[in-house]
Amino acid sequence: MSSNPKLKDNLRAAILAEPDVVLDDKDLMQALVAANEQARGDNVIDLRGIAMQRLEARLDRLEDTHRSVIAAAYENLAGTNQIHRAILCLLEPVEFEDFLYALGNDVAEMLRVDHITLLLETTVIKEDPAVNKLGGILTVAEPGSVDRYMAGDRNGPLREVVLREIQHPCPNIYGEKASHLRSEACLKLELGEGRLPGMIVMGAVDPRHFSPQLGTDLLAFFAGVFERSMRHWLS
């Protein structure tokens, strides 16, 4: 078979030297297949070519799924590392005030949220200089406040972790930062027999930071460790 005189010698030599390069180049192979179909004319149906196109489409979808799974795995691993670092940070303080300060500052930074508040239910609500000193990290509320806040406008059984977008953040929880926050995570705390419950509220400026579609396993684990630490401090 004679060679094509239109093909330049240097290009032909390069292809003959490394034919695998042509086979591995997806765009180049598609151009060659298209040129072959055009040469045959419109009256010829290439069933093998159609099958190959469908296989290529399936392969593309599989590759997209593969990339999505890998990205989700890395994101989950990063989230797990964040939670572990936050928990270790909370285990270091030896004073309760330092414990709360770590929650509202170091932990908030590690979890990349804009504000964290610890709300505790109590039957006695009064001005407490120690609470005010913590700069909005700790607040108190009457019994039943946790369930009402976590339920919001939603009917049905209460969940232990609630993620949602917020239009009108509560100033009693977020203080001066309330007007800037657009999503929140609410983590209910069971503080032991005979004690009223509590709640951790994390607020974020990004309305998609705490989307309801996100998983809550890591936050539930964080809440479980935190409530056990709180039982220790309260005892």
Side-chain angles (χ1 to χ4, degrees):
M1 183 177 66
S2 61
S3 60
N4 187 350
K6 295 182 180 180
L7 196 64
K8 294 183 179 180
D9 292 340
N10 57 346
L11 178 58
R12 183 172 181 273
I15 295 174
L16 292 174
E18 295 184 272
D20 292 343
V21 176
V22 177
L23 296 175
D24 293 337
D25 192 309
K26 180 180 177 180
D27 295 333
L28 185 55
M29 287 300 299
Q30 287 178 345
L32 292 175
V33 171
N36 183 52
E37 292 177 352
Q38 185 177 3
R40 285 199 308 266
D42 297 333
N43 295 327
V44 179
I45 299 177
D46 184 7
L47 295 178
R48 185 177 63 176
I50 294 174
M52 288 298 296
Q53 289 177 358
R54 292 181 178 178
L55 286 174
E56 287 178 359
R58 291 181 182 179
L59 180 59
D60 290 340
R61 290 195 297 270
L62 181 61
E63 288 179 346
D64 291 339
T65 302
H66 185 62
R67 283 192 290 267
S68 299
V69 169
I70 292 177
Y74 276 114
E75 184 176 351
N76 186 63
L77 179 60
T80 301
N81 290 336
Q82 286 179 330
I83 293 294
H84 287 172
R85 289 175 55 213
I87 289 173
L88 291 175
C89 179
L90 288 175
L91 296 177
E92 291 181 0
V94 295
E95 299 291 339
F96 185 58
E97 184 175 330
D98 295 335
F99 173 76
L100 294 179
Y101 183 85
L103 173 68
N105 293 274
D106 299 335
V107 170
E109 182 178 351
M110 291 176 185
L111 299 183
R112 298 178 183 176
V113 298
D114 298 289
H115 187 75
I116 294 182
T117 296
L118 171 63
L119 183 146
L120 299 177
E121 291 186 356
T122 179
T123 55
V124 180
I125 299 178
K126 62 180 181 179
E127 286 290 329
D128 190 337
V131 173
N132 296 333
K133 183 180 178 182
L134 291 169
I137 300 173
L138 175 64
T139 188
V140 295
E142 63 183 14
S145 297
V146 170
D147 286 346
R148 285 196 300 271
Y149 188 84
M150 294 190 69
D153 298 330
R154 182 179 178 274
N155 296 323
L158 292 176
R159 292 171 292 178
E160 299 301 311
V161 178
V162 175
L163 308 180
R164 62 193 175 194
E165 185 176 342
I166 46 176
Q167 299 296 333
H168 305 288
C170 180
N172 293 335
I173 291 180
Y174 293 114
E176 298 177 354
K177 295 184 178 180
S179 60
H180 303 290
L181 303 176
R182 290 295 175 265
S183 65
E184 67 180 3
C186 308
L187 289 61
K188 186 174 182 179
L189 305 173
E190 296 295 344
L191 301 178
E193 185 177 354
R195 296 193 181 103
L196 293 171
M199 175 176 62
I200 296 176
V201 187
M202 302 179 181
V205 173
D206 184 356
R208 296 179 298 274
H209 191 86
F210 290 118
S211 170
Q213 287 76 31
L214 297 176
T216 60
D217 292 348
L218 290 175
L219 288 175
F221 175 70
F222 176 81
V225 175
F226 186 89
E227 66 185 9
R228 285 162 176 76
S229 297
M230 279 296 298
R231 291 172 193 171
H232 166 74
W233 290 111
L234 294 175
S235 62

